Amino acid sequence: MPEITEDLLLGGRVRLIQPARGHRAGTDAVLLAAAAPVRPGDVVVDVGAATGAVGLMAAARVRAGRFVFVERDPALADLCRQNCRDNGVQGEIAVADVLDRASREAAGLGPESADLVLTNPPFLEEGQSRTSPDPGRAAAHALPAGGLEGWLKACAALLKPKGRLVLIHRADRLAECLEILNGRLGALELRFVHPAANRPAIRLLLSGIKGSRAPLGILPPVVLNGPDGRFTPEAEALHRGDATLT
């Protein structure tokens, strides 16, 4: 049994058990959940959920929704199930490979079933970098060649007409994300995340509405750290759960 840690998110509003090694929830998950415009009654699907951090943080703000957590690793899915119980969230766990339509549908993930899809796709694809020797970290950070296109197409397919996709990714994958989503989503809203005000963006937050033809909008950036290296007031408020990006 791998070592497990218990961590508190959003100032203690979310309790998360997760592996001590491998991919662990952090600032990316906080930002993605903060950008999630959950409405009461929404069907919210967290794609690539791991132990459920993003969906659980979204649920901590709006409980009156149906939350579905999609994870292909059965061990992580079990931890996600436990986290849902511990946080009082009636979450549904779908053990499925999002890149495989048959796997998605066998897990009950039908097309056009979600009002909101949240996703933090693996950032790299095979051949783009050295793979981590840790299997969990490798699976969380690397897709098959061309996998990002399949991942985002699958997310878009899950959306109802007028449903919204919100994703976080590396800033240098912007052109690819826009190309994949072109014609599938409109009313795109882009926000860059900078480690400091004088440093280039390292992440992007991108959202869009299925079937919309509205143009792209650029939102104010998020700056994580001040000159002293500590969180800016905005970043601190986001991590405490006292602010959102919606």
Side-chain angles (χ1 to χ4, degrees):
M1 180 73 177
E3 183 183 353
I4 300 298
T5 66
E6 179 180 328
D7 301 285
L8 299 178
L9 306 174
L10 301 187
R13 292 168 65 188
V14 173
R15 173 180 176 267
L16 192 77
I17 53 173
Q18 58 181 333
R21 297 179 180 273
H23 180 69
R24 289 171 52 80
T27 292
D28 287 352
V30 169
L31 295 176
L32 179 56
V38 182
R39 301 167 301 182
D42 275 354
V43 176
V44 182
V45 181
D46 179 355
V47 173
T51 58
V54 172
L56 289 170
M57 285 189 283
R61 294 190 173 97
V62 179
R63 293 279 182 179
R66 175 186 166 202
F67 291 85
V68 182
F69 299 80
V70 184
E71 174 53 47
R72 70 176 182 179
D73 183 329
L76 292 178
D78 284 343
L79 292 177
C80 183
R81 191 173 289 106
Q82 180 65 50
N83 283 328
C84 286
R85 288 196 294 265
D86 291 346
N87 288 278
V89 173
Q90 299 297 314
E92 301 172 30
I93 314 302
V95 182
D97 181 353
V98 70
L99 298 177
D100 184 330
R101 180 175 178 177
S103 176
R104 297 196 307 268
E105 293 186 352
L109 298 168
E112 298 193 346
S113 57
D115 298 289
L116 177 64
V117 172
L118 310 174
T119 191
N120 180 3
F123 285 167
L124 301 172
E125 295 181 9
E126 288 178 359
Q128 291 183 330
S129 69
R130 294 178 60 186
T131 303
S132 169
D134 181 277
R137 184 178 290 272
H141 287 279
L143 287 168
L148 180 61
E149 181 175 8
W151 187 287
L152 294 184
K153 284 182 176 179
C155 289
L158 290 173
L159 288 172
K160 299 175 183 178
K162 303 303 181 184
R164 180 180 291 273
L165 170 67
V166 185
L167 69 98
I168 189 167
H169 214 300
R170 287 174 25 157
D172 60 5
R173 303 295 295 275
L174 172 61
E176 190 174 357
C177 290
L178 291 176
E179 182 178 1
I180 294 167
L181 296 176
N182 182 41
R184 293 182 172 84
L185 304 181
L188 293 171
E189 294 181 341
L190 173 65
R191 190 190 304 269
F192 287 109
V193 180
H194 298 255
N198 62 347
R199 294 182 60 190
I202 56 171
R203 297 285 186 270
L204 63 85
L205 284 160
L206 184 62
S207 74
I209 298 174
K210 187 172 185 175
S212 174
R213 295 182 179 274
L216 170 71
I218 308 296
L219 302 180
V222 175
V223 178
L224 294 176
N225 300 298
D228 59 359
R230 304 176 68 176
F231 276 152
T232 61
E234 180 185 24
E236 181 66 33
L238 290 168
H239 280 82
R240 286 197 313 265
D242 294 338
T244 70
L245 295 170
T246 59

